[in-house]
């Protein structure tokens, strides 16, 4: 029996939470476990800020690094003795970042991004591995760059499944293993990342490759809820959902699971549990091949969206050849659609507002078409909707666009 346990940033946000994570891991003593860690909460965001300052050659860059350093050393001070070897290891990673900051940025933003942002998971996994050792849970710390092999599409790297499976089987032989989520490497061994929130996906890649028995991801919520708790009061815990419903939920943007996580698990019929690291005795939600008995409305919110409306300068129809050009531009800018809709003379798309992609996308679209866009809009999706659930979502909101199918209704609201 092999199990993959994945701990996200919130579960290791401070020393108390790290002690709590140890209590969870301790329950699996003697079992074959692979533990995947994300970066400590908010560190990926801070590293993103750091990259931004670095490529713009701004003066605040070293202060930002200091801020990130202080968070990590603050945690070390609470968990370890001052003379523990872990201090040197963490210092070395910061020296590596410092070295990058002192060199001229690479011409591709995403390359710089992956060089720097990937360090977040390295830092957290070193701390966790050493802390587990300190607690007499001796473990093997593996560098995910040695087995998650990808193409060179930095910031959103695609997995080379054949090679990755081979490497995982070679490297993961003893247990427990501690490793990093989100991070891999390309064929020239440059670090790559799998897209924000990608640690869940790493857990699924390892699970699929080793045909494990179960994956458990530990969250700050009791499991998968029928609504995003940041937007809706009193969401209900779903005891069980099917793989296909989970894929839909993740696809429409339920932040609780990364969209790429489910498919590798479904392929090998590996159950995924989503459980609370705070109430860790609770069962949480099980995602597997069985369909739940009750179907209730599920509410999903995707924030920070841009609604882009594209129309022909002469108000002529948007026909296939226009669409095919628009799609090729979207693909060139590596932007995926969260919703699209066309009328006679305009084509509307809703996309994530990614700083380094959307302005250049809009610029290129504007070369050929008239383009209007609304920033800071939200995309609400209701699966298994009814009139009551729609009322709950759209009440007092300005609706810019809506789309309905048999199972799903979506609203873009300002
Ligand atoms: P991690 O610490 O693993 O990175 P995240 O913060 O990315 O965890 O994901 C957990 C968060 O997802 C929850 O705190 C909750 O606010 C949000 N969330 C959105 N939709 C749902 C949902 N349907 N069920 C549970 N949590 C949800
Ligand atoms: N640390 C990365 C992020 O915040 C990956 C993850 O947490 O899954 O996006
Ligand atoms: Mg997350």
């Amino acid at each position: 029996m092999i199990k993959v346990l994945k701990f996200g940033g919130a579960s290791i946000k401070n020393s108390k939470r790290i002690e709590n994570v140890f209590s969870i891991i301790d329950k699996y003593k003697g079992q074959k476990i692979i533990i995947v860690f994300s970066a400590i909460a908010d560190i990926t965001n801070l590293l993103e800020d750091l990259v931004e300052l670095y490529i713009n050659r701004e003066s605040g860059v070293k202060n930002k690094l200091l801020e990130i350093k202080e968070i990590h050393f603050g945690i070390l001070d609470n968990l370890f003795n001052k003379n523990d070897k872990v201090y040197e290891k963490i210092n070395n990673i910061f020296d590596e970042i410092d070295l990058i900051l002192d060199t001229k940025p690479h011409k591709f933003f995403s390359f710089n991004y992956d060089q720097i942002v990937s360090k977040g998971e390295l830092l957290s996994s070193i701390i966790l591995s050493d802390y587990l050792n300190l607690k007499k849970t001796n473990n093997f710390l593996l560098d995910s760059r040695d087995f998650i092999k990808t193409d060179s599409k930095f910031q959103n790297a695609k997995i080379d499944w054949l090679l990755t499976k081979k490497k995982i089987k070679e490297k993961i032989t003893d247990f427990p293993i501690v490793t990093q989520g989100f991070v891999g490497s390309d064929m020239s061994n440059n670090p790559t990342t799998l897209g924000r929130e990608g640690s869940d996906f790493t857990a699924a890649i390892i699970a699929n490759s080793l045909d494990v028995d179960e994956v458990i991801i530990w969250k700050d919520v009791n499991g998968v809820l029928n609504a995003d708790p940041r937007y809706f009061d009193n969401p209900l815990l779903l005891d069980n959902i099917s793989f296909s419903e989970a894929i839909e939920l993740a696809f429409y943007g339920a932040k609780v699971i990364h969209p790429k996580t489910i498919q590798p698990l479904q392929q090998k019929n590996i159950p995924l549990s989503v459980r609370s690291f705070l109430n860790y005795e609770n069962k949480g939600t099980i995602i597997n091949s069985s369909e739940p008995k009750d179907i209730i409305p599920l509410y999903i919110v995707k924030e920070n969206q841009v609604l882009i409306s594209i129309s022909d300068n002469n108000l002529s129809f948007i026909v296939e050849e226009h669409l095919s050009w628009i799609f090729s531009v979207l693909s060139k800018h590596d932007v995926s659609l969260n919703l699209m809709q066309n009328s006679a003379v305009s084509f509307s798309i809703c996309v994530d507002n990614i700083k380094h992609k959307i302005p250049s996308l809009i610029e290129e679209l504007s070369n050929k078409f008239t383009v209007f866009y609304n920033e800071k809009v939200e995309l609400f999706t209701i699966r298994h909707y009814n009139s009551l659930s729609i009322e709950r979502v759209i009440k007092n909101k300005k609706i810019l666009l809506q789309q309905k199918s048999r199972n799903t209704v979506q609203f873009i609201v300002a």
Side-chain angles (χ1 to χ4, degrees), residues 27-38:
K27 304 233 169 267
Y28 295 86
K29 224 179 173 84
Q31 300 190 34
K32 292 184 172 173
I33 54 169
I34 299 156
I35 314 163
V36 177
F37 286 109
S38 298

Side-chain angles (χ1 to χ4, degrees), residues 1-36:
M1 282 275 260
I2 306 179
K3 291 180 179 164
V4 178
L5 311 183
K6 181 260 164 174
F7 292 93
S11 69
I12 53 170
K13 130 170 151 188
N14 53 37
S15 53
K16 279 264 158 315
R17 289 268 171 100
I18 292 179
E19 286 166 9
N20 176 66
V21 161
F22 167 72
S23 312
I24 297 174
I25 293 172
D26 202 39
K27 304 233 169 267
Y28 295 86
K29 224 179 173 84
Q31 300 190 34
K32 292 184 172 173
I33 54 169
I34 299 156
I35 314 163
V36 177

Side-chain angles (χ1 to χ4, degrees), residues 6-7 11 23 27 53 70 82 92-93 102 123 127 130 137 143 166 174 213 255 282 301 315 342 351 355 388 393 408:
K6 181 260 164 174
F7 292 93
S11 69
S23 312
K27 304 233 169 267
L53 293 168
E70 275 168 3
K82 271 273 174 271
N92 287 342
I93 305 283
D102 286 335
L123 289 163
I127 296 176
D130 276 15
T137 300
D143 189 329
K166 179 170 168 276
D174 297 306
D213 298 277
K255 194 174 174 265
N282 295 359
V301 189
L315 272 189
N342 64 328
V351 297
K355 235 185 183 168
L388 219 70
V393 164
T408 310

Side-chain angles (χ1 to χ4, degrees), residues 6 8-10 38 196-198 200 219 255:
K6 181 260 164 174
S38 298
R196 287 300 308 260
E197 309 292 334
D200 293 348
K219 297 274 172 183
K255 194 174 174 265

Side-chain angles (χ1 to χ4, degrees), residues 216-266:
I216 306 165
I217 56 181
W218 300 89
K219 297 274 172 183
D220 60 356
V221 280
N222 282 327
V224 180
L225 308 167
N226 82 320
D228 188 328
R230 294 166 304 160
Y231 287 82
F232 295 90
D233 294 332
N234 310 318
L236 304 169
L237 176 68
L238 306 169
D239 295 327
N240 161 235
I241 53 174
S242 65
F243 286 126
S244 18
E245 189 65 50
I247 285 181
E248 298 283 351
L249 272 176
F251 170 78
Y252 287 115
K255 194 174 174 265
V256 66
I257 312 164
H258 186 276
K260 291 182 185 161
T261 311
I262 304 298
Q263 197 262 344
L265 301 179
Q266 181 181 33

Side-chain angles (χ1 to χ4, degrees), residues 51-64:
V51 176
E52 204 72 47
L53 293 168
Y54 164 58
I55 59 157
N56 295 324
R57 295 305 218 180
E58 285 182 49
S59 57
V61 66
K62 292 287 165 121
N63 273 341
K64 185 57 75 181

Side-chain angles (χ1 to χ4, degrees), residues 263-280:
Q263 197 262 344
L265 301 179
Q266 181 181 33
Q267 197 186 59
K268 293 281 179 80
N269 201 14
I270 300 167
L272 168 65
S273 298
V274 180
R275 293 172 61 175
S276 161
F277 59 74
L278 295 169
N279 306 310
Y280 52 76

